[in-house]
């Protein structure tokens, strides 16, 4: 399966069984998307649910803290800038809660300096952010 993000960056994900093996879990993968701009969260949820993954959405750092405190999140996608903070605030919450989830920071620019900054801060990766759920195209 391949996800094309924003028409420019391609993220290739293996099939569900291989993803479970990578994350070493027998439960559905739980993903948290933290974005104040992602208006089509329901569409993205439908895509994730079809793959057997569970997705949560949060628009602010505060909402993110609630989800992280109450759910066993495996992967976090966070916008670089949020209405009430940044991805760094989300990383701090993850550390305080002793979560070992991976974070992928999303940014409209996604340039080399932002990438180095995000990885230095503790994120797993930085990718260009889609502006709409329709920007995620699924190929088989």
């Amino acid at each position: 399966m391949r996800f094309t993000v924003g028409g420019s960056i391609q993220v290739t994900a293996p099939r569900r069984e291989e993803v479970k093996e990578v994350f070493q879990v027998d439960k559905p993968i739980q993903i948290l998307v933290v974005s104040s701009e992602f208006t089509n969260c329901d569409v993205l949820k439908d895509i994730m649910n079809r793959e057997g993954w569970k997705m949560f959405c949060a628009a602010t750092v505060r909402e993110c803290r609630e989800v992280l405190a109450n759910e066993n999140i495996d992967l976090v996608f966070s916008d670089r800038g949020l209405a009430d903070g940044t991805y760094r605030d989300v990383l701090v919450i993850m550390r305080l809660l002793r979560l070992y989830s991976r974070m992928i920071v999303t940014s409209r620019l996604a340039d080399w300096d932002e990438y180095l900054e995000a990885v230095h801060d503790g994120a797993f990766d930085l990718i260009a952010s889609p502006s709409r759920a329709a920007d995620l195209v699924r190929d088989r």
Side-chain angles (χ1 to χ4, degrees), residues 4-120:
T4 304
V5 182
S8 61
I9 294 179
Q10 293 186 348
V11 179
T12 302
R15 301 229 180 269
R16 265 180 282 192
E17 295 76 25
E18 294 170 0
V19 169
K20 287 181 181 181
E21 185 177 313
V22 169
F23 282 100
Q24 299 177 351
V25 293
D26 290 327
K27 62 175 185 55
I29 303 298
Q30 297 197 115
I31 300 169
L32 171 60
V33 175
V34 188
S35 175
S36 52
E37 296 181 26
F38 213 94
T39 56
N40 296 329
C41 195
D42 290 337
V43 174
L44 187 55
K45 274 186 182 179
D46 289 342
I47 293 168
M48 297 295 179
N49 287 337
R50 274 186 264 146
E51 292 302 320
W53 303 342
K54 188 171 183 181
M55 191 184 116
F56 300 89
C57 293
T60 64
V61 174
R62 183 180 195 160
E63 290 176 12
C64 172
R65 181 177 32 234
E66 302 248 344
V67 174
L68 289 173
N70 295 308
E71 301 293 337
N72 188 14
I73 300 297
D74 299 300
L75 180 62
V76 177
F77 286 90
S78 177
D79 280 352
R80 189 169 188 273
L82 301 164
D84 60 345
T86 69
Y87 73 92
R88 289 184 183 110
D89 298 311
V90 177
L91 282 169
V92 168
I93 293 167
M94 292 169 66
R95 287 183 192 122
L96 290 173
L97 293 173
R98 296 177 190 224
L99 298 176
Y100 301 103
S101 310
R102 298 228 173 152
M103 175 191 278
I104 297 175
V105 178
T106 58
S107 169
R108 292 211 182 272
L109 296 177
D111 66 16
W112 183 246
D113 291 332
E114 283 186 346
Y115 168 79
L116 292 175
E117 179 183 292
V119 171
H120 179 265

